[in-house]
Amino acid sequence: MSDPAFDDEKEKPLDPAAERLQAKLKRLVLFSSLIMVAGLVAVFSAIIYKVNARSDSASAVSGAQMAATISVGPDARVLSTQVDGARLFMLVEEGTARALLQFDATTGKLLGRTDFVPR
């Protein structure tokens, strides 16, 4: 800025060795940029794949495939439920006792029962 004549000055041509070095550096920068772009594409592809794969496996049984009714004891109170694939787990309280019931989520059939007893 203090020397306005500097902008008007013509650039001197580079010697052949400097031109070769400059061309080599340009190729290196281009190659490095391509590698960086390929790496970013790979990372984002992996993230998108993982997100889509997780959402597909998490919804193994949809709401339309679930059993309409599941029978538990008359005095049972459902404390929590968990769906794992085609199985439904329920933690119920019957009076003072607790039990874990395992159902087939599509048919509603009782597959197993685990009673929790105090020691």
Side-chain angles (χ1 to χ4, degrees):
M1 289 282 164
S2 63
D3 188 14
F6 182 73
D7 293 335
D8 296 336
E9 190 176 304
K10 299 288 183 190
E11 287 188 24
K12 298 174 187 166
L14 297 174
D15 62 348
E19 285 181 0
R20 284 193 304 271
L21 181 62
Q22 189 178 30
K24 192 175 188 180
L25 288 175
K26 284 181 182 178
R27 285 192 306 269
L28 180 65
V29 167
L30 179 65
F31 179 73
S32 296
S33 298
L34 290 175
I35 293 293
M36 180 71 70
V37 168
L40 287 173
V41 167
V43 167
F44 284 120
S45 300
I47 290 171
I48 290 171
Y49 172 77
K50 289 287 186 181
V51 167
N52 288 337
R54 182 177 299 141
S55 66
D56 289 343
S57 66
S59 62
V61 177
S62 68
Q65 295 172 335
M66 280 274 191
T69 59
I70 294 177
S71 63
V72 293
D75 61 339
R77 186 170 65 104
V78 177
L79 300 177
S80 70
T81 61
Q82 181 71 38
V83 177
D84 182 26
R87 295 182 189 258
L88 173 68
F89 296 94
M90 272 191 201
L91 180 62
V92 296
E93 186 175 49
E94 298 170 327
T96 59
R98 289 188 177 186
L100 180 66
L101 306 176
Q102 180 182 356
F103 295 95
D104 183 345
T106 56
T107 64
K109 179 183 173 190
L110 181 64
L111 299 176
R113 177 185 177 98
T114 304
D115 291 311
F116 298 105
V117 292
R119 288 187 173 187

